[in-house]
Amino acid sequence: KRDGASMVYWLNQWEDDRRSEQARTTVYWTGDRIYEADIRINAEFFTFYGGSGAQAFSGVDMESLMLHEFGHVLGLSHNDAKASVMATTLANGTVRRTPGKEDLDSLRCEY
């Protein structure tokens, strides 16, 4: 919500028509200035893990997901490069914890 505080929300209830969405980032702007960015995590329809181990193949890597969502906060959009942290989808067990060439090029373009 627009309250001036940037938050990460862990939500156990999610819209049924958006159940494939792992997370959603909303950025609020005034002119060219971000005054709030909220990230919502879909904990109703997904399981998440951190680190490595047996859970890796049955859940979404939280570090990869958050790097992707912070990319949205910085103004990056989805792209089709499979190794990119900004790729549209993140399959269970996939780790994308390092920005790729496409990500770095996009950041240079933004900033």
Side-chain angles (χ1 to χ4, degrees), residues 9-15 39-45:
Y9 297 96
W10 185 266
L11 300 175
N12 291 313
Q13 292 184 320
W14 201 263
E15 299 99 319
I39 298 172
R40 292 181 268 324
I41 308 295
N42 179 355
E44 180 177 4
F45 298 111

Side-chain angles (χ1 to χ4, degrees), residues 43-65:
E44 180 177 4
F45 298 111
F46 291 93
T47 57
F48 300 91
Y49 74 93
S52 59
Q55 293 175 325
F57 295 104
S58 63
V60 176
D61 178 61
M62 183 57 87
E63 188 176 336
S64 298
L65 179 72

